[in-house]
């Protein structure tokens, strides 16, 4: 396709950068200037201003996961957090439209908890390697193989998989969920490394599935030892989706929000977050005095969500998440059982 055509279609739909837009977004830029270079802000500002206006018109709220880029996380989101917090927020909201800036399973969870509301995901292809590692048929086979053993399912799964499960968990409450079950063995799916982490914190026998997060499985214990040699006084926080030898090197293991809370309460001088890239940027905005060392692995799925796609999503009310009502009814029970256990963390 000729380049001038591409340019024209882009500029036809892009909101304009005006002095008013810069005024409207000045306070937001002041907050994020530490992590977004000044030269980049004119690219984001027109979208931030347009989305801020349109979400009010549409009476929509925007939920954003901790891995979203700073211009989304700090620029347009009404509520932010880890998977558990987003599920809780989705359950508690009274607006008619939710735009989920995160991946598909998060939007599905929001829809399960709000069947009568419109839940939009700006890019339908924002998937997850854990969610695609297992199907409902796989879970049915596991249940045949281990009759009567309860199935604990990480929320990073499809509604179809949740529907075959007894209860869901997130990385923030996985140990408490497993401990809450009246059984001395548990099928834990699909994240092998989170399952191994849980197994180390409970006396119950854990039956694992070999699903991995394509982002966290890339970190190595050797990398972390290298960082510790280079930066003597560093605090290392790791997500439990990392391999066990990586977690053994960490000072703290927990969900994305668990890590943020730990940094907030300990206020170390230097921090290394062994997780997706945008986390450190988003947390650095809140704690500019802390030095963040950034071993960066991007989640390609989270990064499919961009400001232009969020604007398009609100303009065209797409992509609305739909779930087969029979599947949804059963999947909802698994999510609700988890939420009913209350706010508990891995540590
Ligand atoms: P959290 O629940 O800790 O936010 O993790 C979600 C996720 O996808 C991590 O890769
Ligand atoms: Fe899935 Fe890993 Fe991306 Fe989280 S970081 S959404 S677990 S692929």
């Amino acid at each position: 396709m000729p380049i001038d055509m591409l340019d024209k279609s882009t500029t036809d739909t892009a909101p304009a950068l005006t002095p008013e837009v810069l005024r409207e977004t000045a306070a937001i830029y002041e907050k994020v200037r530490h992590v977004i270079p000044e030269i980049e802000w004119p690219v984001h500002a027109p979208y931030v201003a347009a989305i801020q206006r349109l979400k009010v018109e549409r009476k929509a709220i925007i939920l954003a996961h901790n891995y979203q880029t700073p211009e989304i996380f700090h620029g347009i989101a009404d509520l932010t957090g880890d998977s558990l917090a987003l599920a809780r927020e989705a359950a508690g909201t009274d607006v008619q439209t939710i735009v989920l800036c995160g991946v598909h399973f998060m939007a599905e969870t929001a829809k399960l908890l709000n069947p009568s509301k419109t839940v939009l995901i700006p890019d339908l292809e924002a998937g997850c390697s854990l969610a695609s590692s297992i199907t409902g048929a796989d879970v049915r086979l596991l249940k045949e193989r281990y009759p009567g053993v309860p199935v604990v399912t990480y929320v990073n799964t499809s509604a179809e998989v949740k529907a075959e499960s007894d209860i869901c968990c997130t990385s923030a409450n996985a140990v408490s969920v497993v401990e809450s079950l009246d059984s001395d063995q548990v099928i834990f799916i699909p994240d092998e490394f989170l399952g191994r982490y849980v197994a180390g914190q409970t006396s119950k026998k854990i039956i694992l599935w070999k699903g991995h997060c394509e982002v966290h499985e890339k970190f190595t214990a050797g990398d972390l030892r290298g960082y510790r040699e280079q930066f003597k006084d560093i605090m290392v926080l790791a997500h439990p989706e990392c391999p066990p030898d990586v977690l053994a090197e960490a000072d703290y293991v927990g969900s994305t929000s668990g890590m943020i809370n730990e940094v907030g309460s300990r206020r170390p001088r230097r921090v290394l977050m062994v997780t997706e890239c945008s986390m450190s940027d988003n947390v650095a905005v809140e704690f500019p005095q802390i030095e963040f060392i950034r071993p960066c692995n991007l989640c390609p799925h989270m990064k499919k969500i961009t400001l232009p796609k969020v604007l398009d999503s609100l303009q065209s009310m797409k992509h609305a998440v739909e779930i087969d009502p029979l599947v949804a009814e059963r999947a909802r029970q698994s999510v609700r059982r988890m939420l009913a256990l209350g706010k508990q963390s891995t540590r």
Side-chain angles (χ1 to χ4, degrees):
M1 186 184 287
I3 298 290
D4 58 343
M5 265 186 73
L6 266 180
D7 282 345
K8 182 148 176 36
S9 63
T10 312
T11 49
D12 275 353
T13 51
L17 178 67
T18 60
E20 195 195 359
V21 160
L22 285 175
R23 255 196 318 277
E24 272 176 45
T25 60
I28 297 172
Y29 185 63
E30 245 349 275
K31 194 170 178 207
V32 295
R33 67 178 316 133
H34 183 52
V35 293
I36 300 182
E38 206 161 342
I39 197 164
E40 281 180 22
W41 191 243
V43 177
H44 301 311
Y47 286 99
V48 170
I51 292 166
Q52 292 283 12
R53 280 187 229 119
L54 192 53
K55 78 177 178 188
V56 176
E57 261 173 51
R58 293 266 194 247
K59 297 189 175 56
I61 57 160
I62 298 182
L63 305 189
H65 184 259
N66 292 326
Y67 293 163
Q68 291 294 294
T69 51
E71 65 274 13
I72 291 177
F73 190 89
H74 293 287
I76 57 163
D78 299 291
L79 300 162
T80 57
D82 63 4
S83 309
L84 182 60
L86 295 183
R88 286 188 193 288
E89 298 293 358
T93 182
D94 54 7
V95 297
Q96 192 43 44
T97 302
I98 298 170
V99 182
L100 201 304
C101 294
V103 292
H104 193 264
F105 75 80
M106 295 174 178
E108 255 191 1
T109 305
K111 180 68 182 176
L112 287 174
L113 295 168
N114 293 283
S116 63
K117 293 185 183 154
T118 304
V119 176
L120 303 173
I121 179 145
D123 188 326
L124 269 178
E125 305 220 320
C128 170
S129 64
L130 282 167
S132 55
S133 75
I134 190 160
T135 64
D138 292 327
V139 188
R140 287 193 289 277
L141 283 174
L142 276 170
K143 290 196 288 191
E144 269 173 37
R145 187 151 165 207
Y146 300 99
V149 178
V151 179
V152 176
T153 293
Y154 194 28
V155 284
N156 297 38
T157 44
S158 64
E160 190 206 11
V161 166
K162 290 182 176 79
E164 297 295 339
S165 310
D166 293 286
I167 186 165
C168 284
C169 73
T170 73
S171 59
N173 61 14
V175 176
S176 340
V177 168
V178 166
E179 285 284 301
S180 75
L181 297 170
D182 186 18
S183 166
D184 55 9
Q185 48 178 340
V186 161
I187 299 170
F188 189 94
I189 54 173
D191 187 350
E192 180 196 349
F193 296 149
L194 175 61
R196 286 192 189 281
Y197 174 73
V198 172
Q201 316 273 316
T202 173
S203 57
K204 292 182 195 287
K205 182 179 174 213
I206 308 289
I207 298 156
L208 296 165
W209 182 258
K210 226 174 169 40
H212 294 155
C213 162
E214 67 187 86
V215 176
H216 291 90
E217 71 176 350
K218 288 199 190 100
F219 292 106
T220 71
D223 294 341
L224 299 201
R225 285 193 292 271
Y227 283 112
R228 280 208 198 271
E229 264 169 40
Q230 206 182 333
F231 306 98
K232 303 286 175 225
D233 55 351
I234 202 166
M235 180 181 177
V236 178
L237 301 101
H239 196 277
E241 289 172 8
C242 293
D245 58 339
V246 170
L247 298 185
E249 295 287 336
D251 300 308
Y252 173 87
V253 176
S255 77
T256 54
S257 290
M259 286 190 233
I260 298 172
N261 295 339
E262 190 70 5
V263 168
S265 59
R266 300 267 299 273
R267 306 280 171 129
R269 201 165 80 81
R270 277 198 180 125
V271 162
L272 186 146
M273 286 185 162
V274 191
T275 189
E276 211 269 347
C277 305
S278 294
M279 262 288 284
S280 294
D281 290 341
N282 290 332
V283 187
V285 169
E286 307 295 346
F287 304 106
Q289 72 286 5
I290 297 176
E291 184 188 351
F292 286 84
I293 314 298
R294 294 171 163 88
C296 199
N297 281 344
L298 270 178
C299 173
H301 311 287
M302 288 279 178
K303 266 47 206 184
K304 284 202 187 305
I305 309 300
T306 60
L307 288 175
K309 287 185 199 169
V310 177
L311 181 59
D312 189 28
S313 173
L314 277 166
Q315 280 168 336
S316 334
M317 296 300 278
K318 70 178 189 193
H319 305 273
V321 176
E322 298 299 342
I323 309 168
D324 176 320
L326 293 177
V327 171
E329 189 46 46
R330 296 167 63 214
R332 190 161 27 250
Q333 297 311 320
S334 296
V335 178
R336 283 206 177 133
R337 275 184 212 117
M338 167 184 81
L339 293 178
L341 281 181
K343 210 170 187 168
Q344 298 161 35
S345 78
T346 45
R347 291 178 61 127

